[in-house]
Amino acid sequence: MDQFALRDGVLHAEDIPLPRIAEEVGTPVYVYSRAMLERHAQEFRDGLKDVPRKHLAFAIKSNPNLGVLRVLARQGYGADVVSGGELERALAAGMAPEDIVFSGVGKTRAELAQGLDRGIGQFNIEHEPEGIALAEIALAKEMTARAVLRVNPDVDAGTHAKISTGKADNKFGVGIDVAPAMFDRLAALPGLQMRGIAVHIGSQLTSLDPLESAFTRVGRLVADLRAGGHNITHVDLGGGLGVSYKPGDNPPSMADYGAMVARVTKDWDVTLMFEPGRVIAGNTGVLLTEVLWVKPGATNPFVIVDAAMNDLARPALYDAYHDFVAVQPSGEKMTASIVGPVCETGDTFARDRVTDKVEAGDLAVFRTAGAYGATMASTYNSRSLVPEVLVDGDRYIKVADRIAASTIMAAERVPDWID
Ligand SMILES: *Cc1c(COP(=O)(O)O)cnc(C)c1O
């Protein structure tokens, strides 16, 4: 069930009317639904009911808020992290170290050491020198690092170029053709326990076909590695499942995804690992904003809202579509461009869109903002860092404060040698 619904003409998050949050916390503000997070976490697990051994690691780059992570930790999720900072967040949220997977194309030696010191479950190695460095660091600590090799299956994920990661010319993983020999060399290193393969071909995938091709290639590689004498116990299938951003979008269901995975992997005899991000968090959050002005344009008016590209970067970064709906819709529609206050033409959320009619002072939300939303926020134009709220039934709490521009400024200084 969608927990962002109209009741008596007013958009609610679960049982909380959004005007109350706007009044008490101010806008712009991200609002998440605990019930939806839990339901998606459960649905993803249910979708994989025919996979006997599995490990679920939420891709915390999609929403690293500690409150959100705690909800998912209680659902039995570990974390997929891509930096030392995310690693500390996962631990702070109560995720067990052994349930943490460390991905990321440019881990530093310090981050590799941090992962070992924290006792994380698995390193996803991106290339041979990283594996060699990890082995050396582990050996010096008299430890053994559990690791898998990330391969690049060279498939076109059919998504936006900036979030495509599985084509041969993307920076991620190593080619499947070179993987067996590299695996041999890495597996021979003391300090490293090479136990499997990882793959992640991109995000916001709206077809299962590229995933199936990638997994099929990985299946062949696993058979080759076993034939070469390796003990392959884990395969990490990454994340990437898309969500619906606009009416008419029809991404594969979690059940269809799970059925495909179960079919393709049925003879693999490994623990399958998953790193879902967007599919868990995307539709569980909205960005609540106030309309500041409505300004006439050459063709259609501009609706200027108090949220901007620094709060929600996806439209500016990927031309992403976010549904824009009034919190108290009148039923009337208008055609308008929806823009923020930042001094960039790229600060445009929608161009010439038919949308709910709004006026200055009205509240509205950008939907499907729970993933890759607040986490990408910046303070560009000396704007505040956007706050976040988690709703649970008829209560809510601020799970991240608004960080004022003055706080950021307080961390700066003017050199005293400039008079
Ligand atoms: C970003 C990322 C994910 C999550 O992707 P979603 O599309 O949000 O599911 C999973 N694994 C890796 C390695 C990633 O980089």
Side-chain angles (χ1 to χ4, degrees):
M1 188 185 127
D2 187 358
Q3 297 287 352
F4 297 96
L6 288 173
R7 289 193 199 169
D8 298 329
V10 180
L11 194 62
H12 282 57
E14 303 195 18
D15 299 333
I16 304 278
L18 289 175
R20 198 178 126 200
I21 294 175
E23 171 77 29
E24 293 171 4
V25 182
T27 54
V29 55
Y30 279 91
V31 182
Y32 309 125
S33 157
R34 176 182 178 176
M36 276 180 95
L37 278 165
E38 289 179 342
R39 200 197 59 204
H40 290 178
Q42 190 57 47
E43 257 180 50
F44 192 83
R45 187 188 298 281
D46 290 348
L48 294 168
K49 62 183 187 318
D50 294 331
V51 172
R53 298 198 304 284
K54 54 189 164 269
H55 177 268
L56 305 178
F58 178 58
I60 79 176
K61 76 172 189 277
S62 67
N63 190 325
N65 180 274
L66 288 180
V68 167
L69 295 186
R70 177 63 66 96
V71 170
L72 294 170
R74 284 179 51 90
Q75 294 293 308
Y77 275 65
D80 170 54
V81 304
V82 295
S83 71
E86 285 194 351
L87 172 51
E88 296 307 316
R89 277 177 178 277
L91 294 170
M95 285 159 167
E98 60 270 24
D99 290 339
I100 297 174
V101 174
F102 203 155
S103 299
V105 74
K107 303 178 210 68
T108 64
R109 281 167 207 273
E111 285 175 322
L112 295 172
Q114 181 188 353
L116 285 166
D117 291 340
R118 295 303 206 173
I120 67 162
Q122 177 175 298
F123 293 85
N124 290 7
I125 293 175
E126 284 271 350
H127 65 151
E128 190 166 2
E130 185 193 22
I132 294 170
L134 178 60
E136 283 168 5
I137 296 166
L139 207 54
K141 292 179 182 290
E142 298 183 1
M143 297 171 90
T144 302
R146 288 177 295 269
V148 301
L149 180 62
R150 177 168 177 180
V151 295
N152 183 322
D154 193 20
V155 297
D156 185 350
T159 183
H160 191 284
K162 288 186 185 168
I163 48 175
S164 218
T165 58
K167 282 288 289 173
D169 59 0
N170 294 145
K171 68 179 175 179
F172 300 96
V174 299
I176 277 198
D177 49 333
V178 301
M182 195 181 295
F183 201 98
D184 286 346
R185 294 192 294 272
L186 289 170
L189 297 175
L192 217 49
Q193 184 208 334
M194 292 301 295
R195 65 182 193 178
I197 293 294
V199 68
H200 171 75
I201 62 169
S203 197
Q204 185 52 17
L205 308 189
T206 51
S207 161
L208 293 177
D209 298 343
L211 286 166
E212 180 162 350
S213 323
F215 298 167
T216 304
R217 284 173 204 190
V218 167
R220 276 188 229 121
L221 175 60
V222 166
D224 288 351
L225 291 171
R226 282 190 172 139
H230 295 290
N231 183 21
I232 303 298
T233 56
H234 290 73
V235 175
D236 185 336
L237 297 180
L241 201 53
V243 299
S244 164
Y245 280 96
K246 54 170 167 297
D249 277 359
N250 195 18
S253 68
M254 299 190 220
D256 289 348
Y257 171 80
M260 180 276 284
V261 167
R263 173 167 53 76
V264 173
T265 66
K266 69 177 184 315
D267 299 323
W268 289 15
D269 189 24
V270 293
T271 296
L272 286 181
M273 308 175 72
F274 298 88
E275 304 168 346
R278 190 188 309 267
V279 75
I280 302 290
N283 274 306
T284 66
V286 299
L287 174 58
L288 176 61
T289 185
E290 183 180 322
V291 177
L292 297 174
W293 310 99
V294 179
K295 172 180 169 174
T299 43
N300 293 311
F302 291 102
V303 169
I304 305 171
V305 295
D306 68 357
M309 64 188 283
N310 71 297
D311 305 306
L312 177 61
R314 300 189 64 258
L317 264 183
Y318 321 121
D319 295 316
Y321 182 106
H322 284 269
D323 232 1
F324 179 78
V325 298
V327 166
Q328 290 172 273
S330 65
E332 284 180 83
K333 296 285 173 188
M334 71 193 293
T335 303
S337 291
I338 301 150
V339 301
V342 161
C343 296
E344 299 253 0
T345 300
D347 188 19
T348 298
F349 292 108
R351 196 142 259 298
D352 302 321
R353 172 136 5 135
V354 177
T355 184
D356 288 342
K357 186 164 190 302
V358 287
E359 291 170 8
D362 286 352
L363 294 170
V365 300
F366 293 101
R367 300 202 53 143
T368 318
Y372 307 105
T375 183
M376 285 189 178
S378 76
T379 58
Y380 185 42
N381 277 210
S382 287
R383 290 165 53 83
S384 309
L385 207 52
V386 63
E388 298 163 86
V389 156
L390 181 66
V391 175
D392 176 26
D394 61 0
R395 62 182 173 175
Y396 79 86
I397 190 165
K398 235 197 298 178
V399 287
D401 292 340
R402 188 182 311 281
I403 298 178
S406 57
T407 306
I408 307 280
M409 194 165 67
E412 301 173 19
R413 61 201 52 83
V414 176
D416 59 9
W417 34 261
I418 300 175
D419 52 11

